[in-house]
Amino acid sequence: MPGDRAPSQDVKRKAAREVIDILHEIATLLNTQLDRQQLSYCVSLIENGVNPEALAKVIRELREEYGTDSVDGGAEETGAR
């Protein structure tokens, strides 16, 4: 029934948001400089089989090559200073 799917989807979305919120708090404590959207992408990549260590290495290499502002979408520029 379509009515049964909607609450289930809402529950899944809420659970996913809670997971990302928790991961974002951990990422903030670890000073990863990843925002919620970036964490969401990372989780999705890992869920689809990407090696987490390889992903972390790529992120570090991108930051070294292009600087933090380029990799994080300029979040530091748009954040409160």
Side-chain angles (χ1 to χ4, degrees):
M1 297 178 92
D4 292 337
R5 287 188 203 166
S8 177
Q9 291 294 342
D10 288 341
V11 169
K12 288 180 182 179
R13 283 191 189 108
K14 184 177 179 184
R17 265 189 231 110
E18 288 177 8
V19 168
I20 294 299
D21 287 344
I22 291 167
L23 287 175
H24 185 256
E25 287 187 33
I26 294 168
T28 301
L29 290 171
L30 295 173
N31 197 27
T32 64
Q33 299 176 341
L34 295 172
D35 62 26
R36 283 178 172 80
Q37 184 69 43
Q38 293 163 335
L39 283 170
S40 180
Y41 290 142
C42 290
V43 169
S44 180
L45 287 167
I46 292 166
E47 286 177 343
N48 285 296
V50 171
N51 181 320
E53 291 179 15
L55 179 59
K57 182 178 178 183
V58 167
I59 291 170
R60 281 192 301 269
E61 289 174 358
L62 287 170
R63 284 187 172 162
E64 286 174 11
E65 187 170 339
Y66 297 103
T68 303
D69 287 347
S70 298
V71 177
D72 69 11
E76 290 181 11
E77 294 175 17
T78 59
R81 283 192 179 187

